[in-house]
Amino acid sequence: MTKPSTIIPITLPTPFDVGPVNCVLLKGDAVTLIDSGAKTEESREVLLSSLKENGVTLADLDQYICTHYHPDHAGLSKEIQQAGVQTLMLQEAVPYVSGNSEFIEWGESFYTELYRSFGVPDALGRLELLKLRKYRTFSAPFVPDITPMPGDAVLGHEGFTFLKTPGHAPDHLSLYNEEQGIMIGGDVLLPHISSNALLEPPALNDAERPRTLLQYRDTLHYLLTLNLGLVYPGHGEPFSNAHDLIRKRLQDHLERAKAIEHLLSDEPLTVFELCARLFPKVYEKQLGLVVSEVAGHLDLLHSESRVSHDKENHVFYFRRTGAIR
Ligand SMILES: [Zn+2]
């Protein structure tokens, strides 16, 4: 007889603007932890005491699954693995979590060059790089023991399978129970904020950066084909109106793209100039997020041949190609 799995959300504090993160304790035939919070003393204490309240110690965990490499989700992975727990992530996560110095350097030179081509002043670009380095310190490098394939069953939890849900992060996975209509979704869909499709370096020595917003929109279209009755998100409360929310997110992308198209009416602009016009209050403080947002929507417009760009002194200038629809 298999036991149906009980889903127990565990909320942990993070040092990040996004606020607390939700991990999940899944108790069925196996005991599984999904995500682990940032690598801080406070987060570790709350995680261990929450597990204890549910009658579980790290030694009782049969497996640990991490939805994506971002430190607010993956930060304590290494400690959990060192406690002897089998650690699972998609294969795509390996370069991001393994602390490979070649990949880290490649990523840093990618961002430096990309920001320059977006017209970001060098001082601000350097500041972003320092923030990225600081951000990485909230996670310790590790290599997952198992890299499941999308569609594989989650051991010990009947009905649950792994979904590949990239866009917010290239290695993003979710757990899905088709019969029950349940998704444990990490950051693929959040109830109160839109998930940013963050810019990512391409795989080592690949020339093309991934078009992350387009990837994310493909993921959202895919999720619309699934039975989603209840979603447990990485931030915020569980919610049931997933399909409505997905349609809203998709529509919001189109509207933001249109707003950018409007700004390009008069003159060609750089990504940085667009950031300053679209997000005048936050573009300097949250440059990384804002650049991802603008570049992603330019990719969307580009995919529909609605913008083109010229390169002048290593900087891209975007222009509108046609009449505004
Ligand atoms: Zn994330």
Side-chain angles (χ1 to χ4, degrees):
M1 253 326 255
T2 54
K3 249 202 279 183
S5 294
T6 314
I7 299 170
I8 305 162
I10 291 176
T11 303
L12 305 179
T14 79
F16 308 119
D17 288 342
V18 70
V21 65
N22 302 322
C23 309
V24 169
L25 180 63
L26 202 56
K27 281 172 123 181
D29 289 330
V31 181
T32 301
L33 178 66
I34 299 148
D35 286 346
S36 58
K39 186 166 78 71
T40 68
E41 197 53 46
E42 201 190 359
S43 170
R44 182 183 300 113
E45 272 172 27
V46 180
L47 175 63
L48 294 178
S49 64
S50 307
L51 289 175
K52 199 172 165 192
E53 278 166 29
N54 288 287
V56 173
T57 66
L58 286 187
D60 298 324
L61 294 175
D62 294 302
Q63 58 192 343
Y64 163 68
I65 298 169
C66 185
T67 59
H68 62 298
Y69 81 91
H70 294 162
D72 51 335
H73 297 260
L76 293 169
S77 301
K78 187 189 178 132
E79 292 179 37
I80 293 168
Q81 187 181 45
Q82 280 177 334
V85 185
Q86 289 270 20
T87 298
L88 292 84
M89 286 184 97
L90 290 187
Q91 181 64 37
E92 285 79 355
V94 174
Y96 296 92
V97 294
S98 58
N100 177 321
S101 58
E102 203 188 346
F103 185 68
I104 292 173
E105 278 166 35
W106 160 250
E108 291 196 349
S109 55
F110 161 81
Y111 283 117
T112 303
E113 191 42 49
L114 187 72
Y115 276 31
R116 217 165 264 162
S117 73
F118 284 171
V120 174
D122 275 349
L124 282 179
R126 274 198 299 276
L127 205 62
E128 278 311 300
L129 215 55
L130 293 178
K131 280 193 213 164
L132 194 65
R133 286 184 191 161
K134 170 89 182 148
Y135 181 62
R136 273 201 298 266
T137 65
F138 291 102
S139 191
F142 69 100
V143 177
D145 302 301
I146 299 174
T147 52
M149 295 293 289
D152 281 358
V154 181
L155 285 182
H157 302 287
E158 192 167 72
F160 278 93
T161 56
F162 291 97
L163 291 185
K164 184 175 169 176
T165 46
H168 167 69
D171 60 333
H172 200 290
L173 70 76
S174 305
L175 302 191
Y176 175 53
N177 188 318
E178 183 179 14
E179 200 184 308
Q180 295 179 358
I182 289 173
M183 180 168 78
I184 299 169
D187 287 353
V188 72
L189 194 60
L190 302 176
H192 54 306
I193 42 171
S194 61
S195 300
N196 195 310
L198 296 161
L199 286 172
E200 293 285 354
L204 207 53
N205 300 324
D206 263 12
E208 283 284 306
R209 70 175 167 86
R211 268 38 186 178
T212 50
L213 183 69
L214 301 182
Q215 228 178 29
Y216 181 54
R217 287 175 59 79
D218 286 345
T219 292
L220 290 182
H221 282 293
Y222 169 59
L223 293 181
L224 277 179
T225 68
L226 303 182
N227 168 31
L228 295 178
L230 188 59
V231 176
Y232 290 85
H235 306 275
E237 296 294 318
F239 57 91
S240 58
N241 56 336
H243 281 192
D244 291 344
L245 196 59
I246 292 168
R247 283 190 207 96
K248 176 172 175 5
R249 296 286 183 253
L250 287 167
Q251 186 58 31
D252 288 349
H253 295 155
L254 300 182
E255 275 161 31
R256 176 142 293 157
K258 205 181 264 180
I260 291 176
E261 202 176 23
H262 271 275
L263 285 173
L264 294 173
S265 304
D266 304 323
E267 47 174 343
L269 294 172
T270 67
V271 170
F272 185 67
E273 287 166 336
L274 282 164
C275 289
R277 291 182 196 200
L278 271 172
F279 303 97
K281 288 196 184 126
V282 296
Y283 78 101
E284 283 188 313
K285 213 172 148 253
Q286 302 197 1
L287 191 63
L289 291 176
V290 169
V291 164
S292 288
E293 186 76 12
V294 170
H297 288 81
L298 285 168
D299 288 343
L300 176 56
L301 289 167
H302 194 256
S303 74
E304 297 178 352
S305 306
R306 288 157 66 187
V307 296
S308 64
H309 58 255
D310 302 312
K311 209 169 188 182
E312 230 175 83
N313 294 325
H314 304 288
V315 177
F316 288 115
Y317 290 86
F318 290 83
R319 63 182 78 240
R320 182 160 59 83
T321 51
I324 288 175
R325 286 179 269 181

